[in-house]
Amino acid sequence: MPCTPPRPARRHLAVALGALLALAGCGAPPELRHPAASATTLPTTSATPTPGPTPTAPVTPTRPARTAPVPDPTATPCRSGPSGDRVVALLRGSAGVLPRDVRVTVRTGPLCAEGWQYTVLAVSGHEELQVVTRGRPTALELVTAGTDVCGVEVRATGPSGIRTLACDGTPGA
C-alpha cells in the first residue's frame, strides 16, 4: 500500500507553496532597489533632492604598447662577445688583478645578461676567480673580481641572471 500523507498535510503544503510563489514575484528587496549612500558621501542640509551619480560608459582596458623587450632573467652564453680572452686581458691590463706570468683558463662563460657579463677563471696556484664585468665587448668595465663577487653593486644593480650566478653559485661547479 503506497504511503500518502493525510489531507491536512497536503493543504499546508499547498498553502506554503502558494505563499512562496507569491513572494517570488515581488521583485528585488528594498535594500537592492535603492542603492545605499556611499560611506564617503557627506549628508546635505538642502531640502531638494540631489541627483545620483551620472552613469558612465564602461571602460574597456587597453593593453599598453610594449616599449622595450622584456629582459631575460637568465644569463646565457654571450653571442656577440666578449670572449674569455678579452676578460683575461682586462684583468691583466688596466684592472691590475692578474699578474702576466700566471696561467689562466676560462672555466665558465662569459655569460651575458642585459649588458653585464659573468666569467669564472681557473688560475694556476690560486683559487678559482669569479669576474663580473659590464659594458660593450670592446669597452669592458670591471665591476668586481674575486672568490666572492656578490657585493652591493652586483646585488643592487646587476641583472637577475648575473645576481643568480654571482650570489647563488656557478652552474655545474
Side-chain angles (χ1 to χ4, degrees):
M1 170 186 229
C3 179
T4 57
R7 292 219 173 250
R10 281 188 185 169
R11 188 170 57 214
H12 291 297
L13 181 61
V15 170
L17 186 56
L20 182 62
L21 290 173
L23 289 175
C26 291
E31 62 271 7
L32 295 178
R33 278 185 262 165
H34 304 290
S38 170
T40 58
T41 305
L42 298 175
T44 59
T45 57
S46 124
T48 59
T50 57
T54 306
T56 59
V59 177
T60 304
T62 58
R63 186 177 235 173
R66 188 173 279 200
T67 56
V70 176
D72 186 2
T74 60
T76 58
C78 301
R79 286 183 280 158
S80 47
S83 66
D85 292 339
R86 176 70 186 108
V87 173
V88 171
L90 171 69
L91 296 176
R92 289 187 195 255
S94 62
V97 174
L98 289 174
R100 294 203 179 275
D101 61 344
V102 69
R103 197 179 94 211
V104 178
T105 53
V106 177
R107 266 194 86 214
T108 304
L111 301 173
C112 290
E114 301 176 42
W116 287 57
Q117 303 84 26
Y118 175 83
T119 309
V120 178
L121 303 172
V123 181
S124 63
H126 298 282
E127 291 184 66
E128 188 174 79
L129 184 65
Q130 298 175 55
V131 183
V132 177
T133 54
R134 68 176 161 206
R136 295 185 328 268
T138 57
L140 283 184
E141 173 189 332
L142 178 64
V143 176
T144 186
T147 56
D148 180 9
V149 292
C150 186
V152 174
E153 186 174 10
V154 171
R155 282 183 280 140
T157 60
S160 64
I162 299 297
R163 281 194 316 266
T164 298
L165 292 169
C167 298
D168 297 336
T170 306

